[in-house]
Amino acid sequence: MNKVIEVTCLDLWYGRNQALKNINCSLPENEITALIGPSGCGKSTFLKTLNRMNDLVPGVRISGEVLYRGKDIYAPGTDVTKLRKEIGMVFQKANLFPMSIYDNIAYGPRIHGVRSKVELDGIVEQSLRDAAIWEEVKDRLKTNALGLSGGQQQRLCIARALAVHPDILLMDESTSALDPISTGKIEELALTLKKTYTVVMVTHNMQQAVRISDWCAFFLLGDLIEFDRSETIFSMPGDKRTEDYITGRFG
C-alpha cells in the first residue's frame, strides 16, 4: 500500500495521564481507515495528532514520530497552518460560522490568499458539488448556513474542508449526531471522496465501519490493539479483545 502517514512510537500525555501508548501504524493513501474502540480509548486523540489539533490542548505532551509524506509534522519549524490545510478535519458537531453558505466555503481560500470573485465562485461551487450538496443549496448561497438541517450542515462542513484542497480528510464521528438518511448520504460521500482524498474516520458505529472502511484500527485504553484490513478485523480478528469489542461483549 502507498503510505501517506507513518506513525512510530507515538506517546501522548494530558498532564500526567497517558492517553496514547507507543502507537505504530501506517495509513494508506486513497482509502478509508476507521478508528474504532470504546469511549475514552484514544481514537479522537490519535486522530487529532495527525494534524496537530492537540497543540491547542493545555498540558499536552507528545513524543514519537508522525511522518506525513516522509516529513515529521512535529519537527521544529513545521508550518502548522499549512499542515492543517493539507490535513483537514470535520468534527462531531457541525461547527459552521454564523455567516452565509457562500462565505463559509470561501473563508479558507480567502485566508490562503484567493481574492478573485470568479475563482472563489468556482471553488465554492466545486466544493459543494464534491460534498454532494450543491443541488440543495445553489439557490440560497447568500442565506445563513445555520438555517440548514443537521445533515446539510455537516456536508457543508465537509465542503468547507475540501475548499482548500486538502490531501487528507479527518472525520471525528461526523455522523454520530445525524439521522439514518443523513448518515447514509455522508457514508456515500466518503466512498466517493476516497477516489481523490485519503479519509481517516473515528466511528462508534460498527456497521458503518463494516460498510465503508478499507482498513480498521482498534484502540483500547490508549493502546492500538489491532490494525488490519476491515474484512479481516470483522471476520477473523487476531486479538481476543478485538473480537470481544466487535461482538458487543463490552464497549
Side-chain angles (χ1 to χ4, degrees), residues 7 64-65 81 101 109 112 118 135 157 170 181 204 207 209 214 231 243:
V7 178
E65 196 173 62
T81 302
I101 292 169
H112 293 287
V118 172
E135 292 300 329
C157 287
L170 309 178
I181 292 172
H204 268 110
Q207 287 73 34
D214 303 291
E231 63 256 35
E243 182 181 352

Side-chain angles (χ1 to χ4, degrees), residues 43-108:
K43 308 181 297 292
S44 291
T45 295
F46 174 70
L47 192 74
K48 290 172 186 170
T49 62
L50 304 180
N51 70 346
R52 291 187 52 171
M53 289 297 285
N54 283 316
D55 288 15
L56 307 172
V57 179
V60 76
R61 184 163 55 91
I62 295 171
S63 67
E65 196 173 62
V66 178
L67 299 184
Y68 165 54
R69 299 205 178 276
K71 293 185 178 176
D72 184 3
I73 68 171
Y74 286 94
T78 299
D79 184 338
V80 179
T81 302
K82 184 171 183 291
L83 174 71
R84 291 184 189 141
K85 176 180 180 291
E86 294 287 328
I87 305 178
M89 191 157 192
V90 181
F91 296 92
Q92 182 172 0
K93 290 187 179 144
N95 57 339
L96 294 171
F97 306 127
M99 52 178 71
S100 72
I101 292 169
Y102 183 100
D103 287 335
N104 264 277
I105 305 300
Y107 183 85

Side-chain angles (χ1 to χ4, degrees), residues 168-187:
I168 299 173
L169 191 61
L170 309 178
M171 303 176 76
D172 190 6
E173 294 199 66
S174 303
T175 62
S176 65
L178 302 180
D179 62 88
I181 292 172
S182 298
T183 296
K185 286 182 178 176
I186 288 179
E187 288 181 5

Side-chain angles (χ1 to χ4, degrees), residues 17-212:
N17 173 42
Q18 188 169 2
L20 294 175
K21 305 166 189 171
N22 194 32
I23 306 298
N24 295 274
C25 64
S26 298
L27 302 179
E29 189 171 24
N30 293 120
E31 301 212 64
I32 298 174
T33 300
L35 312 180
I36 64 169
S39 295
C41 67
K43 308 181 297 292
S44 291
T45 295
F46 174 70
L47 192 74
K48 290 172 186 170
T49 62
L50 304 180
N51 70 346
R52 291 187 52 171
M53 289 297 285
N54 283 316
D55 288 15
L56 307 172
V57 179
V60 76
R61 184 163 55 91
I62 295 171
S63 67
E65 196 173 62
V66 178
L67 299 184
Y68 165 54
R69 299 205 178 276
K71 293 185 178 176
D72 184 3
I73 68 171
Y74 286 94
T78 299
D79 184 338
V80 179
T81 302
K82 184 171 183 291
L83 174 71
R84 291 184 189 141
K85 176 180 180 291
E86 294 287 328
I87 305 178
M89 191 157 192
V90 181
F91 296 92
Q92 182 172 0
K93 290 187 179 144
N95 57 339
L96 294 171
F97 306 127
M99 52 178 71
S100 72
I101 292 169
Y102 183 100
D103 287 335
N104 264 277
I105 305 300
Y107 183 85
R110 282 174 176 145
I111 281 182
H112 293 287
V114 179
R115 293 285 175 268
S116 156
K117 184 174 186 309
V118 172
E119 192 175 349
L120 285 170
D121 286 352
I123 290 170
V124 168
E125 178 173 345
Q126 191 58 52
S127 302
L128 291 168
R129 284 188 183 280
D130 289 347
I133 193 174
W134 169 253
E135 292 300 329
E136 294 167 52
V137 302
K138 64 182 180 184
D139 298 324
R140 50 197 287 208
L141 296 178
K142 296 301 180 186
T143 61
N144 193 311
L146 300 180
L148 297 172
S149 72
Q152 288 173 323
Q153 286 192 28
Q154 198 61 293
R155 279 182 286 146
L156 195 61
C157 287
I158 294 171
R160 188 175 62 189
L162 300 181
V164 294
H165 304 300
D167 186 21
I168 299 173
L169 191 61
L170 309 178
M171 303 176 76
D172 190 6
E173 294 199 66
S174 303
T175 62
S176 65
L178 302 180
D179 62 88
I181 292 172
S182 298
T183 296
K185 286 182 178 176
I186 288 179
E187 288 181 5
E188 286 173 26
L189 176 56
L191 289 168
T192 302
L193 291 176
K194 76 172 184 177
K195 296 170 189 168
T196 312
Y197 307 94
T198 298
V199 178
V200 186
M201 62 187 299
V202 169
T203 181
H204 268 110
N205 185 329
M206 291 302 99
Q207 287 73 34
Q208 181 173 77
V210 170
R211 281 193 298 265
I212 69 170

